[in-house]
């Protein structure tokens, strides 16, 4: 798995000189929550936001711009995102998750026939938005981590860009990691029984090698 990720990341870096993609963050939070949380804070680590919500959205877009600079695609990648109260206790927490809203196969100009593609990658290969009425990636992150002594023993999100998170959890690398899953770094194979979605393999699965059997 590590070898596969290394190869794909290297390919992304090599592609950085090509046409950069636009990765757009869609704020799906309700008023006064998540990205719309109006709690006042001081700018931190290069993030100029003055509310928690503004800083959260800034970090998301900062991560989106990093990914976009390495992805050669003419089709805008839409990431529908929210901050929600996810599972958290004093010792562990769900930091966040992201995945494709839909998958596609056998679309025009697909590199491999009979394979599932995360929709953002499918759009890139097709050169058009195959699902124009929906987002491409769904992302959720844990709002319970902020200012909550009962969550991770009082740790909070760090919204700076500089990695100087100290004892807190830097949001930027978590977003970069999870957004990668939505872009294509994940499989649709059922982990419980090994079955494939609709009986078809997915592109990521094609490069997975199980060395435990």
């Amino acid at each position: 798995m590590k070898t596969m990720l290394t190869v794909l990341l290297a390919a992304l870096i090599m592609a950085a000189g090509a046409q950069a993609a636009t990765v757009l963050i869609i704020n799906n939070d309700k008023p006064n929550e998540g990205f719309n949380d109006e709690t006042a804070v001081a700018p931190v680590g290069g993030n100029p936001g003055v509310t928690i919500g503004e800083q959260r959205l800034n970090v998301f877009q900062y991560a989106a711009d990093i990914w976009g600079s390495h992805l050669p695609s003419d089709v805008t990648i839409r990431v529908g995102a929210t901050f929600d109260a996810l599972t958290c206790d004093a010792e562990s927490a769900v930091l966040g998750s992201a995945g494709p809203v839909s998958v596609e196969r056998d679309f025009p100009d697909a590199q491999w026939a009979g394979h599932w593609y995360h929709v953002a990658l499918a759009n890139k290969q097709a050169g058009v938005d195959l699902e124009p009425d929906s987002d491409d990636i769904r992302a959720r992150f844990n709002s319970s981590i902020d200012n909550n002594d009962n969550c991770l023993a009082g740790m909070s999100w760090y919204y700076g860009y500089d990695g100087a998170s100290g004892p807190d959890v830097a949001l930027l690398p978590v977003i970069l990691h999870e957004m990668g899953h939505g872009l294509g770094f994940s499989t649709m194979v059922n982990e419980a029984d090994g079955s494939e979605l609709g009986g078809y393999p997915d592109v990521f699965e094609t490069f997975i090698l199980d060395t435990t059997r």
Side-chain angles (χ1 to χ4, degrees):
M1 181 72 73
K2 289 183 178 179
T3 300
M4 174 55 189
L5 290 175
T6 300
V7 171
L8 287 177
L9 286 171
L12 288 174
I13 292 170
M14 290 172 62
Q19 177 66 42
T22 298
V23 182
L24 182 64
I25 304 301
I26 308 299
N27 175 2
N28 287 328
D29 275 321
K30 297 177 181 178
N32 302 314
E33 70 173 17
F35 292 117
N36 304 315
D37 187 325
E38 297 182 355
T39 303
V41 292
V44 60
N47 188 331
V50 294
T51 67
I52 285 180
E54 186 179 7
Q55 287 191 354
R56 288 168 172 168
L57 191 56
N58 287 346
V59 180
F60 258 77
Q61 193 58 60
Y62 194 89
D65 291 343
I66 291 173
W67 268 113
S69 70
H70 294 293
L71 298 174
S73 179
D74 295 327
V75 183
T76 296
I77 301 167
R78 292 170 53 93
V79 182
T82 59
F83 267 81
D84 301 306
L86 305 178
T87 301
C88 192
D89 59 34
E91 297 181 352
S92 64
V94 174
L95 298 180
S97 63
V101 172
S102 61
V103 292
E104 307 285 340
R105 63 176 173 82
D106 297 323
F107 50 87
D109 295 323
Q111 184 177 6
W112 288 311
H115 283 67
W116 293 113
Y117 285 75
H118 292 51
V119 65
L121 180 55
N123 290 344
K124 184 268 179 186
Q125 292 197 7
V128 296
D129 193 338
L130 300 170
E131 300 287 348
D133 296 327
S134 68
D135 297 332
D136 304 308
I137 297 172
R138 171 75 171 99
R140 299 176 68 206
F141 287 80
N142 197 344
S143 60
S144 296
I145 293 175
D146 276 325
N147 304 312
N148 183 356
D149 291 339
N150 296 317
C151 179
L152 295 180
M155 297 171 66
S156 293
W157 285 117
Y158 176 72
Y159 297 119
Y161 309 148
D162 57 2
S165 58
D168 290 327
V169 182
L171 180 61
L172 179 58
V174 179
I175 296 175
L176 287 169
H177 175 97
E178 295 299 336
M179 199 175 291
H181 292 316
L183 289 166
F185 290 83
S186 60
T187 180
M188 274 69 78
V189 173
N190 186 315
E191 294 184 6
D193 60 17
S195 62
E196 296 173 324
L197 179 64
Y200 290 90
D202 61 75
V203 173
F204 191 86
E205 170 200 349
T206 302
F207 295 97
I208 293 176
L209 174 64
D210 185 353
T211 60
T212 64
R213 301 188 181 193

